[in-house]
Amino acid sequence: EPRAEFKKSHSAATLSTLSSKTWSGTLPIVPLDPGSFRKRLFLIFEDADSSILSKAFATLILLTIVVSTISFVVESSPAYRERPAACFERIERGLKPTVEDCEPRPLESFFGVEAVCIAIFTIDYVARISLAHSVREENCNVLRATVLYALQPLAVIDLLAIIPFYLDLYLNGAFGFAA
């Protein structure tokens, strides 16, 4: 099975990294795996037990998840929502307010928090996908290894978590063109 092929090579890479810890039992600053630079970089993103840097990055991702979740919950509270200026302009002009113009929206600061969190998640996802081939089996080509990694359930969940943000930007014309 193709996925078993990737998992086998990935677990072998992880085991070799874990066994390369220093004799004192402490973690190295970066993974000591004798493989390529790309493989060591992949392990920083993928294997929190491979080095101090990878633990720090895993902690950053975990904190980003917590901040993103708290922000999402808080922004839905009426205390942190405001009516757009367009609503008040319609009322001043004597026009009937519309739901689109007058529905309360989260404070602008929540967008900034979400954008930073999504940027961190995107960097993590793109780095892992672009480096996944570095831990492939000898008989597995680069494209196949990358696709096999991208189709793993957690990689698919990561992609599904960031797509709505970019889709919303696209549909609202934030990229300079409206859909």
Side-chain angles (χ1 to χ4, degrees):
E1 178 179 312
R3 288 192 180 163
E5 184 178 313
F6 181 83
K7 287 179 182 177
K8 179 181 174 188
S9 66
H10 181 254
S11 60
T14 302
L15 289 176
S16 67
T17 300
L18 292 176
S19 65
S20 66
K21 291 181 184 177
T22 60
W23 63 271
S24 64
T26 60
L27 288 175
I29 293 174
V30 295
L32 295 177
D33 193 284
S36 69
F37 174 75
R38 288 181 180 155
K39 185 175 184 179
R40 283 183 262 153
L41 193 55
F42 176 78
L43 291 173
I44 289 171
F45 287 97
E46 183 69 14
D47 184 4
D49 292 326
S50 66
S51 68
I52 293 171
L53 186 57
S54 59
K55 275 200 181 298
F57 189 75
T59 302
L60 171 69
I61 293 296
L62 183 61
L63 290 174
T64 304
I65 292 168
V66 169
V67 167
S68 177
T69 303
I70 290 172
S71 176
F72 180 75
V73 170
V74 170
E75 83 176 19
S76 66
S77 170
Y80 297 100
R81 297 176 78 78
E82 61 187 6
R83 293 202 186 279
C87 178
F88 300 111
E89 291 170 5
R90 286 187 68 82
I91 293 170
E92 285 177 4
R93 288 187 283 163
L95 299 172
K96 184 177 178 181
T98 64
V99 172
E100 182 178 325
D101 287 334
C102 294
E103 183 177 0
R105 297 190 179 119
L107 300 175
E108 287 293 318
S109 57
F110 288 108
F111 177 79
V113 170
E114 182 181 14
V116 169
C117 291
I118 292 294
I120 292 169
F121 294 143
T122 301
I123 290 167
D124 174 53
Y125 179 78
V126 169
R128 286 186 293 112
I129 293 296
S130 63
L131 295 167
H133 67 277
S134 64
V135 294
R136 72 186 189 280
E137 288 284 320
E138 290 294 323
N139 61 352
C140 185
N141 71 36
V142 171
L143 180 61
R144 181 175 170 83
T146 302
V147 170
L148 289 173
Y149 182 81
L151 293 176
Q152 289 186 334
L154 290 178
V156 172
I157 290 169
D158 289 344
L159 179 62
L160 292 175
I162 61 176
I163 284 179
F165 179 82
Y166 294 109
L167 188 60
D168 188 48
L169 287 180
Y170 173 75
L171 293 176
N172 289 319
F175 292 125
F177 47 85

